[in-house]
Structure formats: C-alpha cells, structure tokens
Amino acid sequence: MELYLVTGYCTQHGKSITDIVMQAVAGGVDMVQLREKEMSDEEMTILARELHEKLLPTGVPLIINDRVNVAKTIDAEGVHVGQSDMAYAEARKILGQGKIIGLSCENMQQVADANSMDVDYIAVSPVFATPTKTDTAMPFGLKGLREARKISRHKVVAIGGINATNIKEIRDAGADSAALVSAIADSANPMEAASVLKFLIEN
C-alpha cells in the first residue's frame, strides 16, 4: 500500500511546506498532493514549481489539488479534483493522457459513477471524521471502504482521519493507498512519522 501525503496549511514547528514534504519523502512517502486552498494561483505556482524541482530526482509524483492551470504550468505529474471542481474530462483534455487524475468520491453512488470515467484513482473521502476538513459528507467507515474497493475498477485512495492507530485497518480493508495530512505534516519530525506509518503498512 502506498503512503500519500496531502499538504494543508502545514507550516508547523517552524518548517516550510517544502521542508515538511521533503522530510516526509525521505521517510517513505510515495506520492504528494499540494492542497493549499488559501493561496493565490501565483503563490501556488511558485511553491509548486519549487517543490516539483526538489521532488523530480526522488521519483515521487506531485499532484496539484484542483488547480489544473497550475499543474499544467509547472508540468506536475497530475491533478486531484473534487466533485464540484473542474470536470475530470476537461482536466484530461488540458493535461493530456500521460498525467494522473484523481477524483474525490464522498458516497457510494459517486464511487460507482467513477467507473465510467477516465481517472487514475478515486479518493474515498472521508473514511473517518477529520478536523482538517469540516465540510465533508458522512464518513465511509471501514465497512464503506471495503464496499468501495469491491465496486470500483480504479485504484482506491483512503483519506480522512487516518493515523498510526488505524492505518493497518485501512490496508486490511483493501485500500491501495492511504492519504494523510496532519499525521505527518503536524509531526515535529515528519520523516520519522512517515517512516513509522510506512513500517506499519508493510508489516
């Protein structure tokens, strides 16, 4: 199972977003999503470009949340869209076939509907209630995650309230990837936090 870091206003413990991401990657993170809702497109482009340059030698893909224009400008590996963001087909047209497109699914109907879409993964959101996103739908829970894995033809990313105490359950429920925000980004040592999580999913 992959470890997927999603940023979100993470400048804890005096570290920059770039510092946090690179430490997390050193600890075993396989994929990074830049999700900074408060930033302007210009700020986001500057940060994304800096981050992308640092990530390129590691082989870890950078996914941009929502801002397809930013992903296109810096040639990021992909984009993640929500149900109310740009339609996946439009994003695919702009970015082309070689890029990763992820789609948030907040209920089982959306999971089923995504089967007819040309996306690379779906994010089942949220699995558990989480303080980092308060405007979310009813949590899927482990039972819902298992059901989503059963009906989806896509890679399934689990997100929402995942940490060291429940990540093994996420793995055992069939998720292909676990996306985390605060469990890594809010840690005093993101490298160690990622390393512990990686160990838990591999053992």
Side-chain angles (χ1 to χ4, degrees), residues 10-200:
C10 58
T11 50
Q12 299 288 321
H13 308 288
K15 296 186 181 77
S16 70
I17 292 169
T18 304
D19 287 343
I20 291 167
V21 168
M22 296 315 295
Q23 286 180 31
V25 167
V29 160
D30 302 290
M31 194 147 137
V32 174
Q33 181 186 140
L34 188 60
R35 184 181 79 191
E36 298 296 327
K37 298 283 190 184
E38 301 302 308
M39 283 187 179
S40 67
D41 280 3
E42 190 182 1
E43 290 171 319
M44 187 84 154
T45 301
I46 291 166
L47 175 58
R49 185 172 277 126
E50 178 196 341
L51 200 48
H52 195 226
E53 284 171 5
K54 287 183 181 294
L55 284 172
L56 274 174
T58 71
V60 170
L62 177 64
I63 308 299
I64 305 296
N65 181 276
D66 180 19
R67 322 241 192 139
V68 179
N69 56 331
V70 174
K72 176 82 172 169
T73 300
I74 69 142
D75 196 27
E77 281 68 42
V79 72
H80 182 93
V81 292
Q83 293 288 329
S84 58
D85 297 330
M86 181 186 285
Y88 85 93
E90 186 64 21
R92 176 64 74 204
K93 202 158 84 178
I94 293 167
L95 296 180
Q97 280 304 323
K99 299 297 185 180
I100 298 164
I101 296 182
L103 175 71
S104 291
C105 292
E106 297 182 347
N107 57 54
M108 221 54 85
Q109 186 58 54
Q110 291 173 357
V111 172
D113 290 346
N115 280 337
S116 64
M117 299 178 189
D118 173 28
V119 295
D120 297 276
Y121 71 83
I122 60 163
V124 170
S125 171
V127 178
F128 306 117
T130 169
T132 56
K133 274 194 100 181
T134 51
D135 59 343
T136 51
M138 279 287 293
F140 277 80
L142 291 168
K143 186 180 175 192
L145 175 59
R146 275 192 291 271
E147 183 64 21
R149 172 62 289 170
K150 212 176 287 181
I151 67 173
S152 179
R153 72 178 181 90
H154 299 296
K155 182 174 157 183
V156 172
V157 175
I159 187 167
I162 302 169
N163 54 44
T165 66
N166 58 30
I167 197 164
K168 274 181 180 281
E169 294 176 306
I170 294 293
R171 177 198 66 188
D172 295 344
D176 300 290
S177 179
L180 302 96
V181 186
S182 51
I184 295 175
D186 289 353
S187 167
N189 188 333
M191 182 165 84
E192 189 180 297
S195 180
V196 167
L197 289 158
K198 191 76 169 171
F199 176 82
L200 289 170

